[in-house]
Amino acid sequence: MKEYLKIGFMNPQKLTDARKMTRKQILGFFAVLALILTFSMTSMLINVLSTLQEDGTEIAEQIPEFTITDNRLVTDDDQESYVHQTNSFLFFFDPNGSIETSEIDANLNRLNVPIGIGLMQDEFYLNVTGRSLPVTYDQLDGFTHTTFINLMSQIGNLSPLVLLFIFAVAYLASSLSLLYEWLILSLFTNILVTLFRLKFTFRKNARMALVSLSIPTLSISLIEAFGYFVPFAFELKVGFALYFLFTSLKAIAPKKKKEE
């Protein structure tokens, strides 16, 4: 296993040696790459949750006093409707019935904000990435500004259980993403091997393809872990992996021809 890790991360010119990997080594190598992706994805999710917590606290600090009584939002008589926008939320407070839910949806699309919350005159409205969830106030009888403040302040709370759940979800998502990349790259590797007139089976090509993803996966994951977005990440991974495969296969192609 150590030998193939060294090839993948330090000496990709010898990718053809990866043809000798056993099934156990393949599974282990896949697990290592999935773990690298998981740390990157977990870091990004934690950053998102931290932003949600900050934005939720900002909204909670400005919410006026209110209660939900007789299926209506009750506030002081002089309380005006208002809108509060953060990076994560678009919050509408409307005790006067002057705002429609369609206006919330339209502004979410226009401002590209993921979550819309509306404390409307006669309903609680929630829109998350385009999916709406209206809730009637008879389900929230006795709901007050104190309850809402506590709720918004707890959004994005990173307890150990939440962190464990995030890591588990990220590992599953990373494994599926890596499996897709591996399959696509294996097909391209098969084409390269055919062009070089090398008689390798698809299984051997897939082994080389998996190891060739080492450096691209580590490099892009490190960049994304620091909060930077990498455009065309999939294309970059496949492109660099194919380059490593090309140079490795080219090095043995003349030897193969001489044997013929």
Side-chain angles (χ1 to χ4, degrees):
M1 181 67 178
K2 291 181 180 179
E3 174 188 353
Y4 299 114
L5 288 171
K6 185 176 179 180
I7 291 173
F9 292 102
M10 300 177 63
N11 197 5
Q13 292 81 12
K14 294 186 177 181
L15 284 173
T16 51
D17 291 348
R19 291 174 293 158
K20 304 172 185 177
M21 293 177 74
T22 64
R23 290 185 179 179
K24 185 177 180 180
Q25 289 170 332
I26 292 171
L27 290 174
F29 205 98
F30 184 92
V32 169
L33 292 184
L35 194 61
I36 291 172
L37 286 171
T38 300
F39 282 121
S40 172
M41 187 177 294
T42 301
S43 176
M44 289 188 292
L45 289 174
I46 289 174
N47 288 335
V48 170
L49 288 175
S50 297
T51 301
L52 286 176
Q53 189 174 38
E54 292 174 5
D55 292 349
T57 301
E58 179 181 326
I59 290 174
E61 288 175 348
Q62 300 186 28
I63 191 76
E65 293 187 8
F66 72 86
T67 58
I68 304 300
T69 306
D70 296 328
N71 299 333
R72 291 181 66 87
L73 179 65
V74 179
T75 64
D76 294 337
D77 293 337
D78 59 348
Q79 177 61 52
E80 297 181 355
S81 301
Y82 73 90
V83 179
H84 188 122
Q85 180 186 350
T86 66
N87 291 329
S88 308
F89 297 101
L90 191 59
F91 175 68
F92 290 76
F93 188 80
D94 181 35
N96 304 311
S98 58
I99 300 174
E100 299 290 336
T101 55
S102 58
E103 187 176 343
I104 298 177
D105 296 340
N107 278 281
L108 285 174
N109 292 329
R110 181 175 62 85
L111 299 172
N112 195 28
V113 179
I115 302 174
I117 298 176
L119 278 171
M120 320 297 284
Q121 188 178 49
D122 55 4
E123 70 173 332
F124 175 81
Y125 186 74
L126 179 66
N127 185 314
V128 181
T129 62
R131 297 184 179 183
S132 59
L133 179 66
V135 178
T136 57
Y137 279 149
D138 59 355
Q139 300 172 264
L140 300 175
D141 191 42
F143 194 83
T144 68
H145 69 286
T146 302
T147 312
F148 185 78
I149 289 172
N150 292 335
L151 179 65
M152 294 300 293
S153 299
Q154 290 299 315
I155 290 179
N157 185 29
L158 298 175
S159 66
L161 184 60
V162 170
L163 289 173
L164 181 61
F165 177 76
I166 290 173
F167 186 84
V169 170
Y171 190 81
L172 177 60
S174 298
S175 298
L176 292 174
S177 175
L178 179 60
L179 187 62
Y180 173 76
E181 294 169 356
W182 183 20
L183 175 60
I184 297 299
L185 188 57
S186 296
L187 295 174
F188 278 115
T189 305
N190 212 47
I191 295 173
L192 274 180
V193 167
T194 302
L195 291 175
F196 279 113
R197 295 193 295 174
L198 298 169
K199 297 179 181 179
F200 299 158
T201 63
F202 183 79
R203 290 183 179 181
K204 291 182 178 180
N205 297 338
R207 288 172 169 85
M208 293 188 294
L210 178 63
V211 179
S212 72
L213 283 167
S214 304
I215 293 177
T217 297
L218 178 62
S219 301
I220 292 178
S221 295
L222 283 174
I223 295 172
E224 292 180 338
F226 285 100
Y228 296 101
F229 172 72
V230 180
F232 306 108
F234 171 74
E235 290 81 359
L236 286 172
K237 282 185 184 180
V238 173
F240 279 108
L242 283 174
Y243 170 75
F244 295 139
L245 286 163
F246 178 85
T247 56
S248 183
L249 291 169
K250 185 179 180 181
I252 67 166
K255 297 178 182 178
K256 197 69 177 179
K257 290 180 180 179
K258 287 179 182 180
E259 290 175 4
E260 293 176 353

